[in-house]
Amino acid sequence: MQISMRMNGGEVTRDVEPRVLLVHYIRDVLGLTGTHWGCDTSNCGTCVVLMDGEPVKSCTVLAAMAAGHDIRTVEGLANGATLDPVQQGFMEEHGLQCGFCTPGMMLTARALLDRNPDPDDAEIRQAISGQICRCTGYATIVRSVKWAAKNPLGTDSGTGAAEPGDTPATEDVKA
C-alpha cells in the first residue's frame, strides 16, 4: 500500500507492506537511523518519535497508522547546524553515555518543553518514565532537560530552536 506523511517537515510517500512498523519504516525505508529499535516489547522507549507533537513508541505503531500525520525524529530536531536546546542541554550536562536511549529521551524532552517550558524535576522524571536508560541513572538527563528549559534559544547567538520542518532529515525524505 502507498502511504504519505510529513517526516521532519518534508512530505514522504512510499509503498509499504501494511504490517510494517513505523520504526522499521523510518529506519529501513527512509534510512533515518537515529530512531533506535531496542526491546521488541515496547518497554524500553528507545524508538520514541513525535507524532503530531506527542511522543509515541514507534515499535507499537504501524507505518500505515502514521499516514497523514506529522512525524518528527531526532534527525528533525536541529535547525541546520544549530542544535535544538534539548540537544545542546544533553551535551552541556552530559545527559548521555552510550547514546542508545538518547534520541527517544530528547524527543520526549522536546514534547515536554513544548507543553511546559519550565518543568520541575518530578515532571521531567514523569515524562521520561516510559524510557529506560541503563547508563546514566537519569540525574544527568534531568539536568539536561532543565538546561534546555533555562536556555530555550540554545547558545547559538539567539538563532533559536529548530521548528518542525526547518530541516528535512535527508535528501531522500525531501521528495
Side-chain angles (χ1 to χ4, degrees):
M1 68 185 296
Q2 190 174 75
I3 61 172
S4 296
M5 65 184 73
R6 289 191 61 75
M7 180 66 63
N8 296 328
E11 195 70 30
V12 295
T13 300
R14 299 288 190 280
D15 289 327
V16 65
E17 290 185 38
R19 63 187 174 102
V20 170
L21 294 171
L22 182 57
V23 66
H24 296 302
Y25 179 77
I26 291 168
R27 291 181 60 81
D28 301 337
V29 176
L30 300 179
L32 301 174
T33 57
T35 301
H36 294 158
W37 180 42
C39 66
D40 280 337
T41 61
S42 78
N43 289 317
C44 72
T46 62
C47 66
V48 167
V49 298
L50 300 182
M51 185 159 61
D52 299 329
E54 292 299 317
V56 298
K57 293 179 180 177
S58 62
C59 73
T60 65
V61 177
L62 294 171
M65 295 167 61
H69 291 277
D70 182 31
I71 306 298
R72 191 172 183 194
T73 68
V74 70
E75 290 93 345
L77 280 179
N79 182 6
T82 303
L83 296 178
D84 183 275
V86 171
Q87 293 171 306
Q88 186 74 32
F90 269 69
M91 193 171 72
E92 298 291 335
E93 296 296 331
H94 309 284
L96 67 141
Q97 286 184 21
C98 82
F100 198 69
C101 72
T102 305
M105 289 284 188
M106 286 182 176
L107 289 161
T108 299
R110 170 49 44 219
L112 170 64
L113 294 175
D114 288 347
R115 283 190 315 272
N116 177 1
D118 190 26
D120 62 26
D121 287 11
E123 291 167 316
I124 295 168
R125 288 182 180 278
Q126 176 63 37
I128 64 172
S129 66
Q131 294 168 274
I132 296 172
C133 176
R134 295 179 178 157
C135 300
T136 67
Y138 300 95
T140 57
I141 294 170
V142 171
R143 282 199 310 265
S144 299
V145 177
K146 289 183 80 81
W147 187 97
K150 290 179 181 151
N151 298 279
L153 298 179
T155 59
D156 189 348
S157 58
T159 57
E163 292 296 321
D166 283 351
T167 306
T170 67
E171 290 300 315
D172 182 47
V173 175
K174 282 184 179 180

